[in-house]
């Protein structure tokens, strides 16, 4: 049966559309193509059979959003609690980035900022400053702990009676 499409028909009677490979920069439809740094283009990374059917693709996006939301929520809970909160939050963002352009852009910006911070941290002046500040902080903590032990001994603060 010729329906005017490319002839691919799904099992439910829906006519599928196969995307033609893009050969020109003008064929990107406003989506950035793969950059010189090896970054993938923006957009959905859902399998082709999912993209072919609108209802399936929409339900795929809802599933990805809910899964990413659960992971980001778990990361937010882990921020004050023990656990790798920020790592889990960025994992949730990576899940979202498989389907949503806004998450891909946020992750690219974050990756760029982390790389810049890492390069700045390797600067010898910054390293000396960080080491100096760490030593000063440790000396202050040691002095406060010494004063506490001198005044109260090795007694826990909640067991100290008014003196």
């Amino acid at each position: 049966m010729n329906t005017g499409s490319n002839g691919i028909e799904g099992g439910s009677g829906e006519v599928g559309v196969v995307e033609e490979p893009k050969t020109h920069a003008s064929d990107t439809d406003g989506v950035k193509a793969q950059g010189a740094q090896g970054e993938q283009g923006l957009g959905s990374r859902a399998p082709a059979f999912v993209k072919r059917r609108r209802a399936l693709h929409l339900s795929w996006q809802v599933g990805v959003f809910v899964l990413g939301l659960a992971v980001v929520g778990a990361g937010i809970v882990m921020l004050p609690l023990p656990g790798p909160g920020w790592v889990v939050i960025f994992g949730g963002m990576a899940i979202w980035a498989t389907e949503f352009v806004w998450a891909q852009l946020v992750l690219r910006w974050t990756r760029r900022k982390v790389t810049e911070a890492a390069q700045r941290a390797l600067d010898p002046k910054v390293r000396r400053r960080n080491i100096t500040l760490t030593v000063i902080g440790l000396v202050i903590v040691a002095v406060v702990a010494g004063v506490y032990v001198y005044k109260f001994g090795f007694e826990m603060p909640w067991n100290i009676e008014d003196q």
Side-chain angles (χ1 to χ4, degrees), residues 12-76:
S12 63
E14 296 179 4
V15 175
V17 178
V18 175
E19 293 183 23
E20 296 294 325
K22 298 186 188 229
T23 56
H24 297 88
S26 62
D27 290 341
T28 59
D29 298 328
V31 177
K32 294 181 182 177
Q34 186 168 344
Q37 299 166 342
E39 293 180 350
Q40 292 183 344
L42 299 175
S44 175
R45 288 177 179 68
F49 75 91
V50 171
K51 289 182 188 178
R52 275 187 237 134
R53 293 180 176 79
R54 183 163 174 77
L56 186 58
H57 193 220
L58 185 60
S59 61
W60 177 275
Q61 286 181 325
V62 168
V64 166
F65 182 79
V66 169
L67 179 64
L69 186 63
V71 172
V72 168
I76 290 171

Short mmCIF file of all heavy atoms in Angstrom, two decimals, residues 12-76:
data_model
loop_
_atom_site.label_atom_id
_atom_site.label_comp_id
_atom_site.label_asym_id
_atom_site.label_seq_id
_atom_site.Cartn_x
_atom_site.Cartn_y
_atom_site.Cartn_z
N SER A 12 1.17 -1.80 13.98
CA SER A 12 -0.12 -1.29 14.40
C SER A 12 -0.79 -0.48 13.31
O SER A 12 -1.77 0.19 13.55
CB SER A 12 0.05 -0.42 15.65
OG SER A 12 0.85 0.70 15.32
N GLY A 13 -0.27 -0.56 12.07
CA GLY A 13 -0.87 0.17 10.98
C GLY A 13 -0.34 1.59 10.86
O GLY A 13 -0.76 2.32 9.97
N GLU A 14 0.57 1.99 11.72
CA GLU A 14 1.14 3.33 11.64
C GLU A 14 2.24 3.34 10.59
O GLU A 14 2.98 2.37 10.43
CB GLU A 14 1.73 3.75 12.98
CG GLU A 14 0.71 3.88 14.08
CD GLU A 14 1.36 4.27 15.39
OE1 GLU A 14 2.59 4.51 15.40
OE2 GLU A 14 0.65 4.33 16.40
N VAL A 15 2.34 4.41 9.88
CA VAL A 15 3.38 4.54 8.87
C VAL A 15 4.57 5.22 9.51
O VAL A 15 4.44 6.29 10.09
CB VAL A 15 2.87 5.36 7.67
CG1 VAL A 15 4.00 5.57 6.68
CG2 VAL A 15 1.72 4.65 7.02
N GLY A 16 5.72 4.57 9.45
CA GLY A 16 6.93 5.12 10.04
C GLY A 16 7.66 5.99 9.06
O GLY A 16 7.51 5.87 7.86
N VAL A 17 8.47 6.87 9.58
CA VAL A 17 9.27 7.75 8.75
C VAL A 17 10.72 7.53 9.12
O VAL A 17 11.09 7.60 10.28
CB VAL A 17 8.88 9.23 8.98
CG1 VAL A 17 9.77 10.14 8.16
CG2 VAL A 17 7.43 9.46 8.66
N VAL A 18 11.52 7.25 8.12
CA VAL A 18 12.95 7.07 8.34
C VAL A 18 13.62 8.38 7.97
O VAL A 18 13.41 8.92 6.90
CB VAL A 18 13.50 5.91 7.46
CG1 VAL A 18 15.00 5.82 7.61
CG2 VAL A 18 12.83 4.63 7.82
N GLU A 19 14.43 8.88 8.90
CA GLU A 19 15.13 10.13 8.64
C GLU A 19 16.27 9.90 7.66
O GLU A 19 16.99 8.91 7.74
CB GLU A 19 15.69 10.70 9.94
CG GLU A 19 14.63 11.13 10.91
CD GLU A 19 15.24 11.76 12.14
OE1 GLU A 19 16.38 12.24 12.06
OE2 GLU A 19 14.56 11.75 13.17
N GLU A 20 16.40 10.84 6.72
CA GLU A 20 17.49 10.78 5.77
C GLU A 20 18.76 11.28 6.45
O GLU A 20 18.70 12.17 7.29
CB GLU A 20 17.18 11.67 4.56
CG GLU A 20 15.98 11.19 3.76
CD GLU A 20 16.22 9.87 3.09
OE1 GLU A 20 17.36 9.61 2.65
OE2 GLU A 20 15.28 9.08 3.01
N PRO A 21 19.92 10.73 6.11
CA PRO A 21 21.15 11.24 6.70
C PRO A 21 21.38 12.68 6.30
O PRO A 21 21.12 13.05 5.16
CB PRO A 21 22.24 10.32 6.14
CG PRO A 21 21.61 9.49 5.10
CD PRO A 21 20.14 9.63 5.20
N LYS A 22 21.84 13.47 7.22
CA LYS A 22 22.07 14.89 6.96
C LYS A 22 23.48 15.05 6.39
O LYS A 22 24.44 14.59 6.96
CB LYS A 22 21.90 15.68 8.24
CG LYS A 22 20.49 15.54 8.75
CD LYS A 22 20.21 16.42 9.92
CE LYS A 22 18.87 16.04 10.43
NZ LYS A 22 17.96 17.00 10.68
N THR A 23 23.55 15.72 5.26
CA THR A 23 24.84 15.83 4.58
C THR A 23 25.35 17.27 4.55
O THR A 23 26.52 17.49 4.33
CB THR A 23 24.73 15.32 3.14
OG1 THR A 23 23.70 16.04 2.46
CG2 THR A 23 24.42 13.84 3.13
N HIS A 24 24.50 18.24 4.76
CA HIS A 24 24.92 19.62 4.70
C HIS A 24 24.72 20.27 6.06
O HIS A 24 23.86 19.88 6.82
CB HIS A 24 24.11 20.39 3.66
CG HIS A 24 24.31 19.87 2.27
ND1 HIS A 24 23.55 18.86 1.74
CD2 HIS A 24 25.19 20.22 1.32
CE1 HIS A 24 23.95 18.61 0.51
NE2 HIS A 24 24.95 19.42 0.24
N ALA A 25 25.51 21.32 6.32
CA ALA A 25 25.37 22.04 7.58
C ALA A 25 24.00 22.70 7.67
O ALA A 25 23.46 22.89 8.74
CB ALA A 25 26.47 23.08 7.71
N SER A 26 23.40 23.03 6.51
CA SER A 26 22.09 23.67 6.54
C SER A 26 20.98 22.68 6.86
O SER A 26 19.85 23.08 7.11
CB SER A 26 21.81 24.33 5.18
OG SER A 26 21.78 23.33 4.18
N ASP A 27 21.27 21.38 6.87
CA ASP A 27 20.26 20.35 7.14
C ASP A 27 20.08 20.09 8.62
O ASP A 27 19.32 19.20 8.98
CB ASP A 27 20.66 19.02 6.47
CG ASP A 27 20.54 19.10 4.96
OD1 ASP A 27 19.84 20.01 4.47
OD2 ASP A 27 21.15 18.26 4.28
N THR A 28 20.71 20.83 9.49
CA THR A 28 20.66 20.51 10.92
C THR A 28 19.42 21.02 11.60
O THR A 28 19.19 20.74 12.76
CB THR A 28 21.90 21.07 11.64
OG1 THR A 28 21.94 22.48 11.45
CG2 THR A 28 23.17 20.41 11.14
N ASP A 29 18.57 21.80 10.91
CA ASP A 29 17.30 22.29 11.46
C ASP A 29 17.48 22.99 12.79
O ASP A 29 16.72 22.78 13.73
CB ASP A 29 16.30 21.14 11.62
CG ASP A 29 15.96 20.50 10.29
OD1 ASP A 29 15.97 21.23 9.28
OD2 ASP A 29 15.68 19.29 10.28
N GLY A 30 18.47 23.82 12.93
CA GLY A 30 18.65 24.60 14.14
C GLY A 30 19.34 23.84 15.27
O GLY A 30 19.52 24.36 16.34
N VAL A 31 19.69 22.59 15.05
CA VAL A 31 20.37 21.80 16.08
C VAL A 31 21.84 21.76 15.73
O VAL A 31 22.22 21.50 14.60
CB VAL A 31 19.79 20.37 16.14
CG1 VAL A 31 20.54 19.54 17.16
CG2 VAL A 31 18.32 20.41 16.48
N LYS A 32 22.69 22.03 16.70
CA LYS A 32 24.12 22.05 16.45
C LYS A 32 24.61 20.67 16.06
O LYS A 32 24.25 19.68 16.66
CB LYS A 32 24.87 22.51 17.71
CG LYS A 32 24.59 23.94 18.07
CD LYS A 32 25.38 24.32 19.29
CE LYS A 32 25.08 25.74 19.69
NZ LYS A 32 25.76 26.12 20.90
N ALA A 33 25.43 20.63 15.04
CA ALA A 33 26.03 19.36 14.62
C ALA A 33 27.20 19.05 15.52
O ALA A 33 27.58 19.83 16.39
CB ALA A 33 26.48 19.47 13.16
N GLN A 34 27.79 17.90 15.30
CA GLN A 34 28.91 17.47 16.12
C GLN A 34 30.04 18.47 15.99
O GLN A 34 30.43 18.85 14.90
CB GLN A 34 29.37 16.09 15.68
CG GLN A 34 30.44 15.51 16.56
CD GLN A 34 30.65 14.04 16.25
OE1 GLN A 34 29.83 13.43 15.62
NE2 GLN A 34 31.73 13.51 16.71
N GLY A 35 30.53 18.93 17.13
CA GLY A 35 31.55 19.98 17.17
C GLY A 35 32.93 19.45 16.88
O GLY A 35 33.16 18.25 16.73
N ALA A 36 33.87 20.37 16.80
CA ALA A 36 35.25 20.02 16.53
C ALA A 36 35.88 19.28 17.70
O ALA A 36 36.87 18.59 17.54
CB ALA A 36 36.05 21.29 16.22
N GLN A 37 35.29 19.40 18.90
CA GLN A 37 35.86 18.77 20.08
C GLN A 37 35.30 17.36 20.28
O GLN A 37 35.53 16.76 21.31
CB GLN A 37 35.57 19.62 21.31
CG GLN A 37 36.16 20.99 21.22
CD GLN A 37 35.58 21.92 22.27
OE1 GLN A 37 34.53 21.63 22.84
NE2 GLN A 37 36.25 23.02 22.52
N GLY A 38 34.55 16.83 19.34
CA GLY A 38 34.02 15.47 19.47
C GLY A 38 32.73 15.40 20.25
O GLY A 38 32.30 14.32 20.61
N GLU A 39 32.08 16.53 20.49
CA GLU A 39 30.81 16.50 21.21
C GLU A 39 29.72 16.04 20.26
O GLU A 39 29.72 16.35 19.08
CB GLU A 39 30.47 17.89 21.75
CG GLU A 39 31.40 18.37 22.82
CD GLU A 39 31.02 19.77 23.32
OE1 GLU A 39 30.16 20.39 22.70
OE2 GLU A 39 31.61 20.19 24.31
N GLN A 40 28.77 15.29 20.80
CA GLN A 40 27.65 14.86 19.99
C GLN A 40 26.70 16.02 19.77
O GLN A 40 26.65 16.95 20.55
CB GLN A 40 26.91 13.71 20.67
CG GLN A 40 27.70 12.44 20.73
CD GLN A 40 26.88 11.32 21.34
OE1 GLN A 40 25.86 11.54 21.97
NE2 GLN A 40 27.35 10.11 21.16
N GLY A 41 25.91 15.93 18.71
CA GLY A 41 24.91 16.95 18.45
C GLY A 41 23.83 16.91 19.51
O GLY A 41 23.69 15.94 20.25
N LEU A 42 23.06 17.99 19.57
CA LEU A 42 22.00 18.07 20.56
C LEU A 42 20.77 17.33 20.06
O LEU A 42 20.53 17.21 18.89
CB LEU A 42 21.66 19.54 20.82
CG LEU A 42 22.80 20.40 21.38
CD1 LEU A 42 22.36 21.84 21.48
CD2 LEU A 42 23.24 19.88 22.72
N GLY A 43 19.98 16.85 20.99
CA GLY A 43 18.73 16.21 20.63
C GLY A 43 18.58 14.86 21.28
O GLY A 43 19.41 14.41 22.05
N SER A 44 17.47 14.21 20.95
CA SER A 44 17.12 12.93 21.55
C SER A 44 18.06 11.82 21.12
O SER A 44 18.48 11.76 19.97
CB SER A 44 15.69 12.57 21.15
OG SER A 44 15.36 11.29 21.62
N ARG A 45 18.38 10.95 22.07
CA ARG A 45 19.20 9.79 21.76
C ARG A 45 18.37 8.51 21.88
O ARG A 45 18.90 7.43 22.09
CB ARG A 45 20.40 9.74 22.69
CG ARG A 45 21.42 10.82 22.36
CD ARG A 45 22.58 10.81 23.32
NE ARG A 45 23.59 11.78 23.06
CZ ARG A 45 23.46 13.09 23.19
NH1 ARG A 45 22.33 13.61 23.53
NH2 ARG A 45 24.48 13.90 22.96
N ALA A 46 17.07 8.67 21.77
CA ALA A 46 16.18 7.51 21.84
C ALA A 46 16.41 6.63 20.61
O ALA A 46 16.80 7.12 19.55
CB ALA A 46 14.72 7.97 21.88
N PRO A 47 16.16 5.33 20.74
CA PRO A 47 16.31 4.45 19.57
C PRO A 47 15.38 4.87 18.43
O PRO A 47 14.33 5.48 18.66
CB PRO A 47 15.91 3.07 20.12
CG PRO A 47 16.05 3.17 21.60
CD PRO A 47 15.81 4.60 21.95
N ALA A 48 15.75 4.54 17.22
CA ALA A 48 14.99 4.96 16.04
C ALA A 48 13.55 4.45 16.07
O ALA A 48 12.63 5.17 15.70
CB ALA A 48 15.70 4.48 14.77
N PHE A 49 13.33 3.22 16.54
CA PHE A 49 11.96 2.70 16.54
C PHE A 49 11.08 3.46 17.53
O PHE A 49 9.87 3.53 17.36
CB PHE A 49 11.94 1.19 16.84
CG PHE A 49 12.20 0.82 18.28
CD1 PHE A 49 11.15 0.68 19.18
CD2 PHE A 49 13.49 0.62 18.74
CE1 PHE A 49 11.38 0.34 20.50
CE2 PHE A 49 13.73 0.28 20.06
CZ PHE A 49 12.67 0.15 20.94
N VAL A 50 11.69 4.06 18.56
CA VAL A 50 10.93 4.87 19.50
C VAL A 50 10.62 6.23 18.88
O VAL A 50 9.50 6.74 19.00
CB VAL A 50 11.70 5.04 20.83
CG1 VAL A 50 11.04 6.05 21.73
CG2 VAL A 50 11.85 3.70 21.53
N LYS A 51 11.58 6.81 18.18
CA LYS A 51 11.38 8.12 17.57
C LYS A 51 10.32 8.07 16.46
O LYS A 51 9.67 9.07 16.20
CB LYS A 51 12.69 8.63 16.97
CG LYS A 51 13.71 9.04 17.99
CD LYS A 51 14.93 9.58 17.27
CE LYS A 51 16.07 9.85 18.19
NZ LYS A 51 17.25 10.32 17.47
N ARG A 52 10.16 6.93 15.81
CA ARG A 52 9.22 6.82 14.70
C ARG A 52 7.77 7.02 15.12
O ARG A 52 6.97 7.47 14.32
CB ARG A 52 9.36 5.47 14.01
CG ARG A 52 10.45 5.47 12.98
CD ARG A 52 10.44 4.17 12.21
NE ARG A 52 11.76 3.60 12.36
CZ ARG A 52 12.04 2.36 12.66
NH1 ARG A 52 11.07 1.50 12.84
NH2 ARG A 52 13.26 1.95 12.77
N ARG A 53 7.43 6.64 16.32
CA ARG A 53 6.04 6.73 16.77
C ARG A 53 5.92 7.82 17.83
O ARG A 53 6.55 7.74 18.89
CB ARG A 53 5.59 5.39 17.32
CG ARG A 53 5.51 4.35 16.23
CD ARG A 53 5.05 3.03 16.77
NE ARG A 53 4.90 2.06 15.71
CZ ARG A 53 5.89 1.39 15.15
NH1 ARG A 53 7.13 1.60 15.54
NH2 ARG A 53 5.65 0.52 14.20
N ARG A 54 5.10 8.79 17.56
CA ARG A 54 4.97 9.95 18.43
C ARG A 54 4.55 9.57 19.84
O ARG A 54 5.12 10.05 20.82
CB ARG A 54 3.99 10.94 17.82
CG ARG A 54 3.85 12.20 18.64
CD ARG A 54 3.22 13.30 17.81
NE ARG A 54 2.95 14.48 18.56
CZ ARG A 54 3.84 15.38 18.93
NH1 ARG A 54 5.12 15.19 18.64
NH2 ARG A 54 3.50 16.45 19.60
N ALA A 55 3.56 8.71 19.97
CA ALA A 55 3.07 8.33 21.31
C ALA A 55 4.15 7.58 22.08
O ALA A 55 4.35 7.81 23.28
CB ALA A 55 1.82 7.47 21.19
N LEU A 56 4.86 6.70 21.40
CA LEU A 56 5.94 5.96 22.06
C LEU A 56 7.07 6.89 22.46
O LEU A 56 7.63 6.77 23.55
CB LEU A 56 6.43 4.84 21.14
CG LEU A 56 7.46 3.88 21.74
CD1 LEU A 56 6.89 3.21 22.98
CD2 LEU A 56 7.86 2.84 20.70
N HIS A 57 7.40 7.85 21.58
CA HIS A 57 8.47 8.78 21.89
C HIS A 57 8.08 9.69 23.06
O HIS A 57 8.91 9.97 23.94
CB HIS A 57 8.84 9.62 20.66
CG HIS A 57 10.12 10.37 20.82
ND1 HIS A 57 10.28 11.65 20.36
CD2 HIS A 57 11.30 10.05 21.39
CE1 HIS A 57 11.49 12.08 20.64
NE2 HIS A 57 12.13 11.12 21.26
N LEU A 58 6.83 10.12 23.09
CA LEU A 58 6.37 10.94 24.20
C LEU A 58 6.42 10.17 25.52
O LEU A 58 6.87 10.69 26.54
CB LEU A 58 4.96 11.46 23.94
CG LEU A 58 4.40 12.42 24.97
CD1 LEU A 58 5.27 13.67 25.07
CD2 LEU A 58 2.97 12.79 24.62
N SER A 59 5.99 8.91 25.50
CA SER A 59 6.04 8.11 26.72
C SER A 59 7.49 7.83 27.10
O SER A 59 7.82 7.77 28.30
CB SER A 59 5.26 6.81 26.57
OG SER A 59 5.79 6.02 25.54
N TRP A 60 8.37 7.66 26.13
CA TRP A 60 9.81 7.50 26.39
C TRP A 60 10.34 8.75 27.11
O TRP A 60 11.06 8.64 28.10
CB TRP A 60 10.54 7.28 25.07
CG TRP A 60 12.03 7.16 25.18
CD1 TRP A 60 12.94 8.18 25.21
CD2 TRP A 60 12.78 5.96 25.27
NE1 TRP A 60 14.21 7.68 25.30
CE2 TRP A 60 14.14 6.33 25.33
CE3 TRP A 60 12.44 4.61 25.27
CZ2 TRP A 60 15.16 5.38 25.41
CZ3 TRP A 60 13.46 3.69 25.35
CH2 TRP A 60 14.80 4.07 25.43
N GLN A 61 9.98 9.93 26.62
CA GLN A 61 10.44 11.17 27.24
C GLN A 61 9.91 11.31 28.66
O GLN A 61 10.63 11.75 29.55
CB GLN A 61 10.01 12.37 26.40
CG GLN A 61 10.82 12.53 25.13
CD GLN A 61 10.39 13.73 24.33
OE1 GLN A 61 9.21 14.08 24.28
NE2 GLN A 61 11.35 14.38 23.69
N VAL A 62 8.66 10.94 28.88
CA VAL A 62 8.09 11.00 30.23
C VAL A 62 8.86 10.05 31.15
O VAL A 62 9.19 10.40 32.28
CB VAL A 62 6.58 10.68 30.21
CG1 VAL A 62 6.05 10.45 31.61
CG2 VAL A 62 5.81 11.79 29.52
N GLY A 63 9.15 8.84 30.68
CA GLY A 63 9.91 7.88 31.47
C GLY A 63 11.30 8.39 31.81
O GLY A 63 11.76 8.27 32.95
N VAL A 64 11.98 8.97 30.83
CA VAL A 64 13.32 9.52 31.06
C VAL A 64 13.24 10.67 32.06
O VAL A 64 14.08 10.78 32.97
CB VAL A 64 13.96 9.98 29.73
CG1 VAL A 64 15.19 10.85 29.96
CG2 VAL A 64 14.32 8.78 28.87
N PHE A 65 12.21 11.52 31.93
CA PHE A 65 12.08 12.64 32.84
C PHE A 65 11.84 12.15 34.27
O PHE A 65 12.46 12.64 35.22
CB PHE A 65 10.95 13.58 32.42
CG PHE A 65 10.81 14.76 33.32
CD1 PHE A 65 11.67 15.84 33.20
CD2 PHE A 65 9.85 14.80 34.31
CE1 PHE A 65 11.57 16.93 34.04
CE2 PHE A 65 9.74 15.89 35.15
CZ PHE A 65 10.60 16.96 35.01
N VAL A 66 10.94 11.17 34.43
CA VAL A 66 10.63 10.67 35.77
C VAL A 66 11.86 9.99 36.39
O VAL A 66 12.17 10.20 37.56
CB VAL A 66 9.41 9.72 35.72
CG1 VAL A 66 9.23 8.96 37.02
CG2 VAL A 66 8.16 10.50 35.37
N LEU A 67 12.56 9.18 35.60
CA LEU A 67 13.77 8.52 36.10
C LEU A 67 14.83 9.55 36.50
O LEU A 67 15.43 9.46 37.58
CB LEU A 67 14.33 7.56 35.05
CG LEU A 67 15.60 6.82 35.44
CD1 LEU A 67 15.34 5.90 36.62
CD2 LEU A 67 16.12 6.03 34.25
N GLY A 68 15.06 10.55 35.64
CA GLY A 68 16.02 11.60 35.97
C GLY A 68 15.61 12.39 37.19
O GLY A 68 16.44 12.74 38.03
N LEU A 69 14.30 12.65 37.32
CA LEU A 69 13.80 13.38 38.49
C LEU A 69 14.03 12.59 39.77
O LEU A 69 14.42 13.15 40.79
CB LEU A 69 12.31 13.70 38.31
CG LEU A 69 11.67 14.58 39.37
CD1 LEU A 69 12.32 15.96 39.36
CD2 LEU A 69 10.18 14.69 39.11
N ALA A 70 13.82 11.27 39.71
CA ALA A 70 14.05 10.43 40.89
C ALA A 70 15.53 10.44 41.29
O ALA A 70 15.86 10.54 42.47
CB ALA A 70 13.58 9.00 40.61
N VAL A 71 16.41 10.36 40.31
CA VAL A 71 17.85 10.36 40.61
C VAL A 71 18.29 11.72 41.15
O VAL A 71 19.03 11.79 42.13
CB VAL A 71 18.65 9.95 39.35
CG1 VAL A 71 20.14 10.12 39.58
CG2 VAL A 71 18.33 8.52 38.97
N VAL A 72 17.82 12.81 40.53
CA VAL A 72 18.17 14.15 41.02
C VAL A 72 17.61 14.34 42.43
O VAL A 72 18.28 14.89 43.31
CB VAL A 72 17.67 15.24 40.06
CG1 VAL A 72 17.75 16.62 40.68
CG2 VAL A 72 18.48 15.22 38.77
N GLY A 73 16.38 13.89 42.67
CA GLY A 73 15.79 13.98 44.00
C GLY A 73 16.60 13.22 45.04
O GLY A 73 16.82 13.71 46.15
N ALA A 74 17.05 12.03 44.68
CA ALA A 74 17.90 11.25 45.60
C ALA A 74 19.21 11.99 45.87
O ALA A 74 19.70 12.00 47.00
CB ALA A 74 18.18 9.87 45.01
N GLY A 75 19.77 12.64 44.85
CA GLY A 75 21.00 13.41 45.05
C GLY A 75 20.78 14.60 45.96
O GLY A 75 21.62 14.91 46.80
N ILE A 76 19.63 15.26 45.83
CA ILE A 76 19.33 16.40 46.70
C ILE A 76 19.18 15.93 48.14
O ILE A 76 19.64 16.59 49.08
CB ILE A 76 18.07 17.13 46.19
CG1 ILE A 76 18.40 17.85 44.89
CG2 ILE A 76 17.55 18.11 47.24
CD1 ILE A 76 17.20 18.44 44.18
#
